[in-house]
Amino acid sequence: MTIPVHRPKRAEVEKCVARFRDIRPISGGLPDMPLEDCQRNFYNVLGFAQPDSDGEVFSPIGDEAKPKISHLAAGFGMAYVEAEPGKGVLMHTHDTNETFVVVEGSWKFEWEGETGNEHVVCEEKDVVSFPVGIQRRFECVSARPGKATGMIMAVVGGDKPGVEWSPEAVTRMKEAGTWPAEAAE
């Protein structure tokens, strides 16, 4: 098979460039983000269209973080997540693979194992990749010296990947009034 070659104009390629300085951080869009220990910023680089859902499946990056590169259906989404130490996300699962690269600081990646919750702590440039269906969460452990936040890059398979929260996470968000049905009441 021969791959057809396309010779684009410069403007076409420049639409595919996302300069970090031009990406506006978003601190909302998911029902856990108002919780004190779940406050974080998303920098949406590529992908993450909203999945088709019944209101209980969400985009991993939420509905407020619009991708800087939005015209491609790349087959995956990519975003940066920034948080202070002690902050992260509640337990959840995805319908596609989710891979993390630690960019700054150290991060704890926790999952529900067969005998209870387990975790690994990853340092800068370390990678962890979760297959479909594993309940997982992440949390910033430490920032670089002199910085207030750590940062990870998340790469999630699919053009419309979905996230579902664990039953315990849903209960916590309902109790806090941040779950969509409760927030609307």
Side-chain angles (χ1 to χ4, degrees), residues 121-165:
V121 174
C122 293
E123 305 294 330
E124 292 182 10
K125 299 180 186 161
D126 291 347
V127 175
V128 60
S129 188
F130 288 104
V132 173
I134 295 177
Q135 291 283 359
R136 83 292 296 266
R137 65 177 297 275
F138 57 79
E139 177 181 312
C140 181
V141 174
S142 66
R144 280 184 177 170
K147 295 197 84 175
T149 60
M151 183 175 284
I152 54 178
M153 177 192 296
V155 180
V156 180
D159 291 316
K160 292 183 174 185
V163 60
E164 289 182 349
W165 304 98

Side-chain angles (χ1 to χ4, degrees), residues 86-100:
K87 298 188 180 192
V89 65
L90 296 180
M91 200 65 81
H92 66 281
T93 190
H94 288 264
D95 60 359
T96 63
N97 175 272
E98 181 179 39
T99 300
F100 297 99

Side-chain angles (χ1 to χ4, degrees):
M1 173 181 134
T2 302
I3 299 173
V5 174
H6 173 65
R7 291 184 173 80
K9 294 181 180 177
R10 181 175 184 87
E12 284 181 70
V13 174
E14 286 180 353
K15 285 180 20 182
C16 300
V17 175
R19 300 198 187 281
F20 186 78
R21 68 178 178 255
D22 297 333
I23 302 172
R24 186 173 62 97
I26 300 296
S27 59
L30 289 172
D32 72 328
M33 292 177 88
L35 303 174
E36 179 65 30
D37 59 332
C38 295
Q39 294 173 355
R40 57 200 184 275
N41 288 323
F42 289 136
Y43 297 81
N44 193 353
V45 177
L46 172 70
F48 294 114
Q50 293 300 310
D52 301 321
S53 98
D54 57 7
E56 303 239 342
V57 177
F58 300 84
S59 164
I61 206 79
D63 60 359
E64 292 181 19
K66 305 304 180 207
K68 188 66 178 168
I69 301 171
S70 61
H71 68 288
L72 296 178
F76 66 94
M78 187 172 83
Y80 294 100
V81 182
E82 175 184 60
E84 296 174 350
K87 298 188 180 192
V89 65
L90 296 180
M91 200 65 81
H92 66 281
T93 190
H94 288 264
D95 60 359
T96 63
N97 175 272
E98 181 179 39
T99 300
F100 297 99
V101 179
V102 177
V103 177
E104 293 183 349
S106 61
W107 290 73
K108 177 171 83 171
F109 297 91
E110 185 176 12
W111 66 94
E112 290 181 356
E114 57 188 357
T115 60
N117 288 0
E118 300 188 43
H119 75 274
V120 295
V121 174
C122 293
E123 305 294 330
E124 292 182 10
K125 299 180 186 161
D126 291 347
V127 175
V128 60
S129 188
F130 288 104
V132 173
I134 295 177
Q135 291 283 359
R136 83 292 296 266
R137 65 177 297 275
F138 57 79
E139 177 181 312
C140 181
V141 174
S142 66
R144 280 184 177 170
K147 295 197 84 175
T149 60
M151 183 175 284
I152 54 178
M153 177 192 296
V155 180
V156 180
D159 291 316
K160 292 183 174 185
V163 60
E164 289 182 349
W165 304 98
S166 72
E168 298 81 9
V170 171
T171 297
R172 182 162 172 222
M173 290 182 279
K174 285 181 176 183
E175 289 171 355
T178 64
W179 189 247
E182 279 68 18
E185 294 176 358

